[in-house]
Amino acid sequence: MKTDSIYKEEIMEIYSEKPNFGKLEGKTHEAKLKNPGCEDEFKIELKVEGGKIKDAKFTGKGCVISTVSTAILTEKIKGMRLSDAQRMSKKDMDKFLGMEVIPTRMKCELLGLEILKRVK
Ligand code: FES
């Protein structure tokens, strides 16, 4: 079990590095969505070949939780079939983050996943 401080350190490290943040050259799919509660918004761009996600990036602005979960999500989906990635749930996001996000921050945690489900 991770202690709170180790968890916070990891999260803040990912937040400052923002892996996969930026525009994707050669994108084939995209979608963007605003969290209605806070106006934070991300856009996800994918490069899909033969139904498989070859690359993924995101742009936009969000809080620590939404940024980190979208960064991790765009990393984990590389190599997956788009149809499988779009069937993922909160349980998968909890697993990726290594924690269960409290209900009040659920919209932040799931913003990236909701965008992924709208990608076409
Ligand atoms: Fe806006 Fe988290 S507070 S996405």
Side-chain angles (χ1 to χ4, degrees), residues 46-112:
L46 304 179
K47 187 174 183 183
V48 180
E49 282 172 17
K52 267 196 176 176
I53 300 168
K54 296 286 182 193
D55 206 356
K57 281 185 175 284
F58 73 104
T59 51
K61 147 194 132 32
C63 64
V64 173
I65 301 268
S66 62
T67 303
V68 169
S69 58
T70 305
I72 294 175
L73 177 68
T74 48
E75 191 57 37
K76 298 284 187 186
I77 59 175
K78 289 178 193 171
M80 284 180 82
R81 296 198 66 78
L82 177 59
S83 53
D84 291 338
Q86 289 180 315
R87 270 197 294 270
M88 291 195 298
S89 65
K90 173 170 170 28
K91 224 173 171 181
D92 297 297
M93 291 307 300
D94 287 347
K95 215 188 293 168
F96 291 160
L97 286 169
M99 60 177 278
E100 205 174 309
V101 174
I102 54 170
T104 50
R105 302 307 301 275
M106 215 166 83
K107 283 226 158 85
C108 307
E109 178 195 17
L110 299 181
L111 182 58

